[in-house]
Amino acid sequence: MEKKDMGLSVKSEDVVDSSSSLLNNGYQFSSVFDFCEVERSSSLGFMELLGGHDYSPLLDVPQLSTMSTVKASSDTTGKECSEVLNQQQPATPNSCSISSASSEAVNDNKTLVDQADEDEEEEKQKTNKQLKTKKTNLKRQREPRFAFMTKSEVDHLEDGYRWRKYGQKAVKNSPFPRSYYRRTTASCNVKKRVERSYTDPSIVVTTYEGQHTHPSPTMSRSAFAGVQIPQPAGVVSGGFSTTNFGSVLQGNYLSQYHQQPYQHQQLLVNTLSSLSHPYNNSSSFKNSPFTTQERVQLCNPGTTAFLRDNGLLQDVVPSHMLKEK
DNA sequence: CGTCTTTGACCGGCGC
DNA sequence: GCGCCGGTCAAAGACG
């Protein structure tokens, strides 16, 4: 399963590398997406790319999710994996996933509105314990989920939002527990689950569920301010600030409105990819049955504006590169 | 004192 | 109906 759109390519199993513990959040334009290298990893079979959702829960962009909404089956249960597999995909590599999903998005928007109403209702019900029973009678509608894998030594990756841990459970067939987080903002019903892959302990699987009901807290300085993350010099992947696919998708979404030539980005991609990159030494990649040709450089046309802003990569990209325009 | 984490209990869905 | 499992609740404790 692979989709390409304006220089974007997303494969079914994507690993985001994170030397740091800092993740970009879903509302922001991801730097890592602009330059990260994504490859199918054979050892990470628990994560499937599913096309069933028409929007990313981290985005307010319903049209995008069929591109790369990643649904994680938490472990070996396989329950969720079977839900929306084999969804239609664009036949042509350059076909626009956004437009292909637009018709479905109309229906999905409707669903979202309905779901938002239900969530609001649920919020009220929470205050009334008596209605708790009533709540259980309603068939629980699960929010679309959005998962991504990150190579990180830190379990809970910072993403710009404040989270409160409300639970932790042992994961079946895994020595690593799964942590449940919820936004500290009461009005925001986004949740996330964090667990470590039992196949590769260096990989953290983060699953977001729900939509933020407010702008990103880190968006205030500029459109890309939030992803300006101080990193130790030379830490390329960390400097990219890893991302989730919400930001990935948003990046692509933005590109729809910033269709500018992306020679600059390609230059950076080429240059940065030649730098020392943890992926290159990752055993999971070494063991991949997929050829290096299958690795894709993600380059987002929408980053031109960002580059001018210098906000995102100025900590990691040599200054002379930033001047190369 | 407010916020956050921990952790056992509880609940609902689902398969057998 | 029963048991398993994922997800959530909520009290208690830790921490700044």
Side-chain angles (χ1 to χ4, degrees):
Chain A
M1 194 190 301
E2 178 174 346
K3 296 199 172 191
K4 291 181 181 176
D5 183 23
M6 296 177 288
L8 162 70
S9 180
V10 178
K11 288 197 173 185
S12 57
E13 292 95 16
D14 300 318
V15 179
V16 178
D17 191 20
S18 171
S19 298
S20 73
S21 64
L22 211 50
L23 275 181
N24 188 15
N25 66 66
Y27 283 129
Q28 289 163 352
F29 198 52
S30 154
S31 60
V32 70
F33 184 60
D34 299 330
F35 305 104
C36 76
E37 185 175 16
V38 177
E39 187 201 17
R40 185 173 299 210
S41 171
S42 60
S43 63
L44 300 168
F46 57 88
M47 197 162 184
E48 304 283 346
L49 172 64
L50 304 173
H53 302 307
D54 288 334
Y55 78 104
S56 162
L58 293 183
L59 298 171
D60 296 323
V61 188
Q63 295 93 334
L64 290 173
S65 63
T66 52
M67 272 194 306
S68 61
T69 296
V70 178
K71 193 169 189 177
S73 65
S74 55
D75 44 58
T76 57
T77 61
K79 273 184 189 173
E80 294 176 353
C81 288
S82 60
E83 287 180 14
V84 260
L85 281 171
N86 302 322
Q87 293 281 328
Q88 60 176 9
Q89 300 298 331
T92 56
N94 291 325
S95 65
C96 180
S97 303
I98 295 172
S99 59
S100 70
S102 58
S103 57
E104 293 180 8
V106 175
N107 295 329
D108 209 60
N109 278 333
K110 191 178 173 183
T111 308
L112 286 172
V113 172
D114 294 341
Q115 197 161 313
D117 292 340
E118 287 181 16
D119 292 340
E120 226 176 286
E121 203 168 305
E122 276 188 17
E123 205 63 38
K124 291 173 184 175
Q125 287 177 350
K126 276 180 183 177
T127 60
N128 192 344
K129 218 166 186 177
Q130 281 187 337
L131 295 175
K132 198 172 182 179
T133 326
K134 190 179 178 181
K135 181 183 172 184
T136 59
N137 292 334
L138 300 169
K139 182 105 179 180
R140 186 184 168 190
Q141 242 180 333
R142 182 175 283 175
E143 297 260 4
R145 293 181 187 175
F146 184 82
F148 64 101
M149 294 181 285
T150 308
K151 267 188 171 296
S152 173
E153 293 179 3
V154 182
D155 284 341
H156 189 202
L157 300 150
E158 290 296 328
D159 57 6
Y161 292 100
R162 292 179 65 195
W163 301 90
R164 181 176 64 84
K165 189 176 184 177
Y166 67 89
Q168 179 172 305
K169 290 283 287 186
V171 179
K172 194 185 175 186
N173 297 327
S174 174
F176 307 105
R178 175 185 300 141
S179 298
Y180 298 89
Y181 295 90
R182 143 185 317 148
R183 287 298 319 284
T184 53
T185 309
S187 59
C188 186
N189 63 343
V190 179
K191 297 171 191 169
K192 78 172 176 181
R193 302 182 312 191
V194 177
E195 62 186 285
R196 200 164 277 280
S197 165
Y198 69 96
T199 56
D200 187 347
S202 66
I203 290 176
V204 174
V205 180
T206 306
T207 306
Y208 287 88
E209 182 176 336
Q211 280 187 294
H212 289 287
T213 58
H214 52 84
S216 165
T218 52
M219 291 284 278
S220 54
R221 191 182 67 87
S222 73
F224 308 107
V227 290
Q228 185 180 5
I229 299 158
Q231 294 293 333
V235 183
V236 176
S237 60
F240 285 155
S241 116
T242 50
T243 183
N244 53 43
F245 284 100
S247 44
V248 165
L249 293 178
Q250 176 138 358
N252 202 51
Y253 173 70
L254 288 174
S255 70
Q256 190 180 14
Y257 301 95
H258 299 275
Q259 295 194 26
Q260 303 168 9
Y262 53 93
Q263 293 96 334
H264 300 132
Q265 290 73 38
Q266 192 61 54
L267 171 64
L268 285 169
V269 167
N270 293 337
T271 307
L272 290 169
S273 62
S274 67
L275 298 173
S276 168
H277 199 288
Y279 278 175
N280 299 334
N281 297 323
S282 166
S283 59
S284 62
F285 287 98
K286 279 180 182 174
N287 297 331
S288 170
F290 298 92
T291 64
T292 52
Q293 284 77 13
E294 286 187 295
R295 299 185 184 190
V296 290
Q297 295 288 345
L298 300 182
C299 177
N300 198 301
T303 55
T304 304
F306 147 69
L307 289 171
R308 287 190 185 129
D309 189 44
N310 289 353
L312 191 54
L313 288 177
Q314 62 185 13
D315 293 328
V316 287
V317 177
S319 57
H320 71 273
M321 289 179 61
L322 294 172
K323 290 173 185 173
E324 278 187 78
K325 293 177 187 175

